Amino acid sequence: MPEDSMEKTYTCTAPVNIAVIKYWGKRHEDLILPINSSLSVTLHQDQLKTTTTVATSKSFEEDRLWLNGKEEDINHPRLQSCLREIRRLARKRRNDDDPGLDSTCLSYKVHICSINNFPTAAGLASSAAGFACLVYTLAQAFGVEGELSGVARQGSGSACRSMYGGFVQWLMGHQSDGKDSLAQQVEPETHWPELRILVLVASAERKHVGSTSGMQTSVQTSHLLKHRAESVVPDRMVEMIKAVRGKDFTAFAELTMKDSNQFHATCLDTYPPIFYLNSVSHQVINLVHRYNSHYGLTRVAYTFDAGPNAVIFTLEQYISDFIQAVRHFFPALTNGGEFIKGLPVPHADLSEELKQAIGLEPMPKGISYIISTKPGPGPCVVKDPTQHLLGPDGLPKNTVKQDSHNRNRHKNCDGDITATL
Amino acid sequence: MPEDSMEKTYTCTAPVNIAVIKYWGKRHEDLILPINSSLSVTLHQDQLKTTTTVATSKSFEEDRLWLNGKEEDINHPRLQSCLREIRRLARKRRNDDDPGLDSTCLSYKVHICSINNFPTAAGLASSAAGFACLVYTLAQAFGVEGELSGVARQGSGSACRSMYGGFVQWLMGHQSDGKDSLAQQVEPETHWPELRILVLVASAERKHVGSTSGMQTSVQTSHLLKHRAESVVPDRMVEMIKAVRGKDFTAFAELTMKDSNQFHATCLDTYPPIFYLNSVSHQVINLVHRYNSHYGLTRVAYTFDAGPNAVIFTLEQYISDFIQAVRHFFPALTNGGEFIKGLPVPHADLSEELKQAIGLEPMPKGISYIISTKPGPGPCVVKDPTQHLLGPDGLPKNTVKQDSHNRNRHKNCDGDITATL
């Protein structure tokens, strides 16, 4: 493979985001236009990220895609939307702005290789990080700059929010072509340094109902979802932005919990009903409310996406104490792995009063492990060429090794610890 | 005790009812005025009933009450409301209608003794049957006739619906004194002879959040409940009455399921959220939808009140087949008791195709037993004096025996079979 092929390889990373005002329901399926605005916190990539390498070469005969070590069908319509849109923007830039730019690569085929450092399809918004990373990396490869959240949105709605760090809103927009349905940063990741995030990974079964088909059924059948989108969310967006800007943890936490509950309520109001919360989720919810009630203060909040994993928000000063409560009511399996991964959490003793006040029956196999993290930045370019996932031949590096690694990770989803965290 | 005391003893029975359009939320706490109308099916007393004996005697020194063999505080405010209201109506009748009526007993104290033939507080609406039976029996004792659902309502909201057999609506009413918030029979119990009802008794833990406090919190905190009461239920009442009158099982079943789900959705939208459905309930819901989907026809419906027990509606022709599916996916514990109590269900074979189509993981300890029943009549007078629960001394017959019987029943709630069904 000639040297110039190497120079056309780009690698980027993108973050997971977790919505605190939830997106559920589209008004346009293909353009992915939502029925309400939403707001999320971008999680730190030191703990959770997607890495994507895009290579373009004259010698590639077709567009190809590898996800977590396995070649996948590139003809997925949403993937094609992103590719088409980036190529269109690239051509536009060459034509309108800077006709002098090199446009040879526009006709080249791409090879795309992407990996997550967390289990996919376990309700951890892997598609958001995945499409954000794809779009961001394609944009590097094709020399596209500027607003890209509208492109990412066409891959996976919530992916548009992963295009920024910190606190991000996705404005639903009103135009029929979706041009105004874009993400915006509300505050950067440095805004609220005390805010801490825990992902409580429940024994990670694959979700029963995918979010795409789930939200479609909800839009068609739930009276409550329509009311939520039209009459509840607009006020909540205003309140949430105010709580974030003012670093008002109580307001932020309560609204986060209420909105998570309301989203799951609309799933239950769907026909047939959709359940994403299981008995572990119920126990986490009860634990959080009793914990807060014991202290007479909202110290901790939960939120759940389309799966049983809880995402917990708290402040740095409370995290050790809360983690002890989680450890007590969800005793760790003694399988040799660490229970808490990611940002270190100092030890604290669990008070007898707190234990009594919570008074739940411990649930030994409930939580496999905890990922400790915080708000983080948006997508990043990886400059070190040794980090490329595609080799000079345009194929995934160490395919066989990655493949077996991925099989292990899948096995680990059922209760063990992912090796890459 | 003189002979005349015996003659002032009255015994009646009253039924449980299960709402298919749910009542959740009061607009007036003391008068028990609901935020929406509701509609229920009265279950047959051969399987589920409350029996109450009321005795009045000059020799009684105070009002006294025994529930399921144990003396309870008669000063419970809602009990007092019913007593006061019945005595007021009795005085009114003596004064207005028939001054010649004997009014001596109006000043007498009452002894009340009541038993259920099913576990209390297991989400089986025991308070509805209990207050309906109390009011109906007190009315006999004090010679009160006519509309009594407004009195029963003041004991427990849904009790007003247990004052009639068959299909009953509780009109929310609009007057501030509650005079127009009454139950009405939509169709009698003979209207739809093919309709069959199964109560799937889940391992009957006591409910975590009582319905009185639960609905209070929901009214205060759930945006979705307000919308449901104002904008969803009115249309559903019209549709449900139409489905019942037309014996349209598909319409009846689908609306029943949707309304149960929406009620539980508003519980989840409550802050802090309330969960009445557990993993057994989720499995029943999935089983019913997959069962119907396999046949391409809505043959079976579920509904859940403030507890995990499912109430199933189906038609006689489908019951054997459906029961086999329940037996397969909730294998009975081999504790020697019958799994199906009440109306006999003929045997049927479970087809391999159905088993495959449902494809759930069997849940061995999920359901303790099934009560097989059908729509039934309203409250009845028991003429046989040997059935009185109070002896000639005005005290419960065989108190000790009843007490131990009741203790046994309580123990049985955790998985065994109630002896009296």
Side-chain angles (χ1 to χ4, degrees), chain B residues 331-391:
Chain B
L333 293 174
T334 53
N335 56 7
E338 298 167 83
F339 188 59
I340 301 172
K341 314 196 68 71
L343 294 179
V345 176
H347 179 78
D349 288 319
L350 181 63
S351 79
E352 204 49 47
E353 295 77 47
L354 177 58
K355 220 188 285 182
Q356 295 295 327
I358 292 175
L360 295 164
E361 191 68 33
M363 206 182 255
K365 285 181 194 167
I367 291 175
S368 316
Y369 59 94
I370 296 177
I371 303 166
S372 165
T373 185
K374 61 181 183 178
C380 306
V381 177
V382 177
K383 299 241 168 73
D384 176 4
T386 68
Q387 300 300 306
H388 291 327
L389 303 176
L390 295 167

Side-chain angles (χ1 to χ4, degrees), chain A residues 176-202:
Chain A
S176 60
D177 62 3
K179 289 273 192 296
D180 58 349
S181 187
L182 302 172
Q184 272 181 358
Q185 189 175 65
V186 173
E187 291 289 348
E189 61 272 21
T190 50
H191 168 67
W192 199 346
E194 302 82 13
L195 194 67
R196 293 286 296 269
I197 300 163
L198 300 170
V199 183
L200 310 190
V201 181

